Amino acid sequence: MAAISTERRPDVHEAQPPDVRQYYAINQSVYGWFARYYDAVTRPLRRLRREVVALAGAPGGARVLDVATGTGAQALAFADRTAEVIGVDVNDAMLAVARRKPRPDHVSFVRADATHLPFPAGRFDVTCVSFALHEMPPSVRDRVVREMARVTRHQGTIVVVDYALPANRLASALTSRLVRLYERDHYAEFVRSDLPALFEGVGIAVRADHRTLLGNVRILVGDKVT
Ligand SMILES: C[S@@+](CC[C@H](N)C(=O)[O-])C[C@H]1O[C@@H](n2cnc3c(N)ncnc32)[C@H](O)[C@@H]1O
């Protein structure tokens, strides 16, 4: 793999607003201890990982970036038939778990802040982020999606996988209450936010808006058109 430039400064927090500083601080304190349990807790998502790969439709030999990769489960699901998969994350404990997993040579894990991805424009055929945008303050979320669009080639694919609310109002209210027990800060605003508009604002045309796991998870697939 080519050396990763560190010129785009990773996680620079000092000059950030309080909600952004708090989000980075929570990231370090929570994932610092949760990393070792993360794969056990998210084991039921294994089938979903394959579904995401199928919906992304990466061409053979594709270069894939998994943003906020955590312990690398989604990155590793992209390993078959691709030429390169890079998972980036800002948390060393999560990356340490990812790096301990068996993986082919073309899969690697890099420490980087998704708001300042250390890659040139158009470097990847497919860029994916799963279960991370809901943790971010809106300003950070916007920046991450903009960065994903920047590093994806023209006509390349951008995939967002994250929480959604079921269409049924009772199920939606129950889900929302349940998830808010452990996703406290930005989830409630995130699940009601307009992700297709966020895509369109950075030059991504929505190709598919797929709901799965009883409507509790959304897989939004877009094509970079500008
Ligand atoms: C809930 S985990 C999801 C991990 C993985 N994508 C998955 O689907 O299992 C959220 C991950 O996002 C990472 N993350 C949050 N903000 C980030 C940022 N600005 N840059 C890179 N990674 C970030 C966290 O460190 C954590 O590993």
Side-chain angles (χ1 to χ4, degrees):
M1 186 193 70
I4 304 297
S5 159
T6 52
E7 272 172 34
R8 297 180 66 78
R9 297 179 307 157
D11 42 309
V12 180
H13 316 146
E14 292 74 14
Q16 303 281 17
D19 64 329
V20 176
R21 283 207 306 274
Q22 187 189 25
Y23 141 77
Y24 281 108
I26 289 174
N27 175 289
Q28 294 306 314
S29 64
V30 170
Y31 288 113
W33 66 265
F34 189 47
R36 76 190 70 168
Y37 308 109
Y38 187 82
D39 282 337
V41 172
T42 56
R43 207 174 164 77
L45 299 179
R46 278 180 304 172
R47 218 178 112 208
L48 173 71
R49 309 290 190 190
R50 293 193 290 273
E51 200 177 345
V52 170
V53 172
L55 281 167
R63 300 204 286 193
V64 178
L65 177 68
D66 187 40
V67 170
T69 194
T71 58
Q74 189 60 61
L76 289 164
F78 274 110
D80 280 355
R81 297 189 311 111
T82 47
E84 180 183 41
V85 181
I86 302 179
V88 298
D89 202 283
V90 79
N91 188 279
D92 289 320
M94 295 291 268
L95 284 172
V97 175
R99 288 179 179 132
R100 280 199 294 271
K101 294 179 179 175
R103 63 188 143 108
D105 288 347
H106 68 282
V107 178
S108 59
F109 295 105
V110 172
R111 189 184 195 288
D113 188 326
T115 63
H116 296 77
L117 289 170
F119 305 106
R123 168 84 154 69
F124 297 96
D125 300 291
V126 176
T127 309
C128 177
V129 62
S130 56
F131 298 106
L133 294 185
H134 72 270
E135 295 184 348
M136 300 172 182
S139 63
V140 174
R141 189 187 311 147
D142 291 1
R143 176 79 205 207
V144 169
V145 174
R146 187 174 297 278
E147 276 291 87
M148 290 174 68
R150 182 185 66 78
V151 301
T152 305
R153 69 164 167 81
H154 180 61
Q155 302 293 356
T157 302
I158 291 114
V159 186
V160 169
V161 186
D162 219 306
Y163 289 115
L165 290 175
N168 176 284
R169 284 177 64 179
L170 180 60
S172 169
L174 286 172
T175 295
S176 174
R177 281 188 177 220
L178 180 70
V179 178
R180 270 157 46 199
L181 293 175
Y182 57 92
E183 299 285 3
R184 298 226 170 91
D185 293 322
H186 303 288
Y187 160 81
E189 179 272 328
F190 170 80
V191 277
R192 290 178 175 79
S193 68
D194 190 346
L195 281 183
L198 181 55
F199 264 30
E200 277 152 30
V202 296
I204 308 167
V206 174
R207 190 202 312 161
D209 192 350
H210 182 76
R211 309 290 166 131
T212 188
L213 295 176
L214 302 174
N216 289 294
V217 171
R218 178 180 201 175
I219 306 172
L220 191 65
V221 183
D223 298 313
K224 179 170 170 187
V225 288
T226 57

